[in-house]
Amino acid sequence: MYEHFLLKPVPFTASHARMARQVLLKSVVYTYPGRNPSLKPILLCAHFDTVPVDANAMQRWRFPPFSGKIYNNMIWGRGTADTKGTLIAIFEALETLIATGFEPSRTIVLAFGHDEETASSGAGAIAEFLDSTYGPNGIELIVDEGSTVTTMFGSEYAVVSTSEKGYVDLTLNVTTAGGHSSSPPPHTSIGILAHAIYALEKRPFAPKIQNAKDHPLTRHLTCLALDERSTLDRSAAEEKLAEFLAAHPSLMPDSEPVLTTTQAVNIIGGGASPNSLPESAASLVNYRVAMHMTVQDVVDAVAGTLKDVAAAHGILLFAGAASSSSALSFSSTYRSYGGAAVGELALLTNPGVIHPAPVTPSTGPVWDQLAGVVRAVFRGPDGRPPFVVPAVLVGNTDTNNYLSLSRHIFRFSPMRTDGGENLHTVDEHLRVSSFVEAIEFYQLLVLEFDGTSAAAADS
């Protein structure tokens, strides 16, 4: 197991000798104590679990998926870009600093989760440990995986996510009386479920920016407009720019998922035999909740759509919490109302709800220091530093467990967009040059927040 590798003193002999270790479930926390306990620590994060490798796709891999083969200036294998490369870069950065005689004034904490791709229970255990150790808002800044350095409108930008969207899985479960397939009703439970899915997809959520002046995307676009190298029209005022983008998301296609609560029908099932009517059918629908909405807003909107579907089929709508974390929460029974058995459409909220995260400030000393480090490391081909802009991460990270620990949570993977490719699919790989830049980023970050670097002077 990878956590056993992390606990070995080799190859990271110097850093292991100086850091205390705690194993929480299978996640690991390292603490490198600083000389000044009055300074809040910094927290550097990664996760060492990966999505599974599809056994049916093994032959399509150029090299065995867990070989870590270095070929053609790239490191090949599952997890190289997401996020074992980051984890090793953090260790390499500390090893290099220690070799120069560095002793930190500020405590450095490393948090490596073991199940970020699934339940994130390791991050939950880490959060409890760090809260009991340092207290609420007891950490200066947190850096975890997230956005990258990319090219937009003819110029390079380092996109640092200062918030992330919410998350909820809703199960639709239709139950009916069933029976012999030779005498079917107009719509079986599968047919009713199909109608429900169709109705939901006919009513997608609209893109919107609420509190435009404070929205990360507004500042993001303002920075783009102010960059003299950008091809983006600079004539629009900052709030009007965000409002215009909300109304015309095709201007910047990647922004539409940021502004919209997305809906994806991901799992479906039902029926047992060609000769019998299905007594139940279920589907799981995934929602990534935009910043202007709450999870309850999403549930209410979905229930409103399903109410019309239930009425059209003469069945009852029930809303509640799923009784287990299983994907579809099938039920083969239905309720009896007034002595009569009636079909039912149940809307169930699954465990694992994540609310949209608070927005980390993209102004002030902490942001400026982080931006200075980014600008120092990720120079463009012309030697000029990138513009550092905030954003909203559409996916979720372990940081949703750490919200009470710091007001400064940054979701940034220190690499260029093409530095790590094929995440979650065949031939995932990380460029060696990107790995080296990640090491340099963590070295300068530690030095900058320890007060021993001038990296931010160029911010």
Side-chain angles (χ1 to χ4, degrees):
M1 296 296 289
Y2 203 78
E3 66 271 18
H4 297 153
F5 164 76
L6 291 177
L7 295 176
K8 293 179 180 178
V10 178
F12 306 116
T13 309
S15 51
H16 273 74
R18 288 163 172 79
M19 294 193 292
R21 302 189 297 274
Q22 285 79 31
V23 178
L24 305 165
L25 301 180
K26 293 183 179 180
S27 296
V28 186
V29 174
Y30 291 87
T31 305
Y32 191 169
R35 291 176 285 111
N36 187 348
S38 68
L39 296 175
K40 293 181 180 181
I42 62 172
L43 175 61
L44 308 179
C45 307
H47 64 87
F48 54 84
D49 62 313
T50 69
V51 296
V53 173
D54 185 350
N56 295 321
M58 287 287 288
Q59 298 304 314
R60 293 165 53 197
W61 283 79
R62 181 175 299 193
F63 305 105
F66 292 102
S67 65
K69 176 73 173 180
I70 300 175
Y71 174 76
N72 199 24
N73 295 317
M74 298 179 189
I75 308 166
W76 299 82
R78 170 66 82 238
T80 51
D82 183 20
T83 59
K84 292 180 181 178
T86 297
L87 186 154
I88 300 300
I90 292 171
F91 269 124
E92 289 285 358
L94 290 179
E95 287 284 309
T96 305
L97 289 174
I98 292 169
T100 68
F102 172 73
E103 291 291 341
S105 297
R106 186 189 299 273
T107 294
I108 303 164
V109 182
L110 315 181
F112 301 141
H114 76 280
D115 61 347
E116 188 274 345
E117 299 287 3
T118 53
S120 203
S121 63
I126 290 170
E128 290 183 12
F129 169 75
L130 295 178
D131 183 72
S132 66
T133 304
Y134 302 108
N137 193 32
I139 293 176
E140 181 72 3
L141 91 158
I142 300 173
V143 179
D144 198 1
E145 63 175 323
S147 310
T148 59
V149 180
T150 188
T151 300
M152 296 181 288
F153 303 107
S155 192
E156 283 208 331
Y157 296 87
V159 182
V160 179
S161 290
T162 54
S163 182
E164 61 183 52
K165 295 176 71 176
Y167 177 108
V168 62
D169 289 323
L170 299 180
T171 294
L172 316 182
N173 189 4
V174 178
T175 54
T176 56
H180 200 284
S181 61
S182 62
S183 302
H187 301 284
T188 67
S189 58
I190 292 176
I192 296 171
L193 178 63
H195 183 188
I197 293 171
Y198 174 79
L200 289 175
E201 293 193 337
K202 285 282 286 183
R203 297 182 185 177
F205 291 95
K208 182 179 179 182
I209 291 182
Q210 189 168 300
N211 301 322
K213 189 174 182 180
D214 298 325
H215 197 287
L217 193 56
T218 303
R219 181 165 168 79
H220 179 119
L221 293 169
T222 302
C223 290
L224 265 61
L226 293 175
D227 180 8
E228 72 277 6
R229 296 167 290 173
S230 173
T231 59
L232 185 67
D233 181 13
R234 295 188 273 282
S235 61
E238 60 181 40
E239 289 192 35
K240 295 296 183 183
L241 187 60
E243 291 170 5
F244 179 78
L245 185 61
H248 303 86
S250 60
L251 172 67
M252 194 175 173
D254 289 346
S255 70
E256 186 166 6
V258 175
L259 302 174
T260 308
T261 292
T262 57
Q263 173 180 260
V265 181
N266 288 341
I267 305 176
I268 193 167
S273 164
N275 203 33
S276 60
L277 301 174
E279 294 173 332
S280 65
S283 178
L284 182 142
V285 188
N286 173 253
Y287 293 88
R288 304 301 175 108
V289 185
M291 293 176 63
H292 64 276
M293 297 186 71
T294 66
V295 170
Q296 191 59 51
D297 290 337
V298 174
V299 174
D300 291 345
V302 172
T305 298
L306 297 184
K307 182 179 179 182
D308 296 338
V309 174
H313 293 278
I315 62 177
L316 293 163
L317 176 66
F318 168 79
S323 58
S324 72
S325 59
S326 61
L328 291 185
S329 303
F330 274 109
S331 171
S332 60
T333 61
Y334 51 93
R335 291 168 174 76
S336 177
Y337 296 88
V342 201
E344 178 181 275
L345 170 54
L347 172 62
L348 305 174
T349 301
N350 287 19
V353 168
I354 300 172
H355 301 283
V359 178
T360 290
S362 54
T363 58
V366 176
W367 170 267
D368 290 344
Q369 286 180 275
L370 176 72
V373 172
V374 173
R375 287 163 62 84
V377 174
F378 295 97
R379 301 276 174 168
D382 59 358
R384 300 180 68 176
F387 231 100
V388 184
V389 296
V392 177
L393 197 65
V394 296
N396 295 109
T397 67
D398 277 340
T399 61
N400 71 78
N401 292 276
Y402 305 150
L403 300 179
S404 67
L405 297 175
S406 178
R407 296 191 182 97
H408 302 284
I409 302 177
F410 301 105
R411 302 152 185 90
F412 176 67
S413 296
M415 66 177 69
R416 303 172 196 272
T417 300
D418 63 352
E421 297 181 313
N422 292 359
L423 277 70
H424 289 207
T425 191
V426 171
D427 280 346
E428 180 178 350
H429 59 271
L430 177 68
R431 294 183 185 275
V432 171
S433 60
S434 183
F435 178 59
V436 172
E437 283 183 323
I439 296 171
E440 184 181 359
F441 168 80
Y442 288 113
Q443 287 175 341
L444 287 180
L445 185 72
V446 167
L447 291 172
E448 175 60 35
F449 280 87
D450 207 57
T452 55
S453 170
D458 192 31
S459 64

